[in-house]
Amino acid sequence: MADPEERSEEHRTDLPPCPTTLGTGLLPPELRAWMVMLAGVGAVEQRLRGVVKERLDVSHDEFLVLCLLAELPPEGLRMTRIAELLGRPKTRLTYQIACLQRAGLVSRQAACGDRRGVVVTLTEKARLLLTEASGALAAAVAEALAHVMGPTQREAMRGLLPEPTAEDATTS
């Protein structure tokens, strides 16, 4: 399988240049950058859907819940906070959490001191699945971004992310 960088160069000839490389249109740089980011997000979501279904057997929206929980401390998050962070209605999130719980990927428990609150945590099964699938998921993201962005834009996007710390290496 070809490297995403090489594969993207094969496809680059049939794609118009990235908007941020043109700089001659009507849009200010911030809006051009936003459009490239939207194209990148759309390409990543489209590419990830198949990989997520194949590797984790969950929907894309359920995958987003798992990713959010994977980046948090093991004590989990309240359902209202998950809905807020993902921009999802609580009723839709309740269904997604129920599906993930039936699959053994999350657990739900009452929030301490709040009988209406529910805390969701990732199970060990989910942690193992995410760890096993991480290489394929990362490759799908790299390939999708390489298809819609040039190397300069991809490097700029990576520059927006925090650098991994030694603590990240010991908790992963």
Side-chain angles (χ1 to χ4, degrees), residues 16-139:
C18 295
T20 57
T21 62
L22 298 176
T24 59
L26 297 173
L27 301 177
E30 295 82 6
L31 195 48
R32 284 196 315 269
W34 175 246
M35 295 307 296
V36 170
M37 285 177 34
L38 287 178
V41 166
V44 167
E45 285 185 348
Q46 185 176 27
R47 190 71 52 111
L48 274 180
R49 285 183 197 283
V51 177
V52 164
K53 190 65 179 165
E54 177 187 320
R55 296 294 186 124
L56 303 173
D57 196 28
V58 298
S59 72
H60 182 73
D61 286 342
E62 292 163 354
F63 171 66
L64 294 178
V65 171
L66 293 176
C67 287
L68 180 62
L69 292 172
E71 289 297 307
L72 296 170
E75 55 269 5
L77 266 185
R78 292 175 68 112
M79 291 267 292
T80 52
R81 184 66 175 143
I82 295 170
E84 180 182 279
L85 290 170
L86 294 178
R88 302 286 191 270
K90 286 192 284 185
T91 53
R92 184 170 160 199
L93 181 64
T94 299
Y95 174 77
Q96 293 167 343
I97 296 295
C99 291
L100 290 169
Q101 187 174 22
R102 278 192 298 278
L105 301 175
V106 300
S107 63
R108 292 190 284 191
Q109 57 195 6
C112 185
D114 180 0
R115 63 181 172 89
R116 294 183 308 157
V118 175
V119 174
V120 181
T121 57
L122 213 54
T123 64
E124 284 308 311
K125 176 182 177 182
R127 290 181 189 286
L128 181 62
L129 278 173
L130 286 169
T131 299
E132 290 172 353
S134 64
L137 295 167

Side-chain angles (χ1 to χ4, degrees), residues 140-170:
V141 170
E143 188 175 302
L145 290 177
H147 190 70
V148 297
M149 294 180 177
T152 304
Q153 288 77 30
R154 289 192 309 274
E155 189 59 36
M157 182 170 271
R158 279 191 291 269
L160 295 174
L161 302 173
E163 290 293 322
T165 64
E167 181 180 307
D168 292 335
T170 60

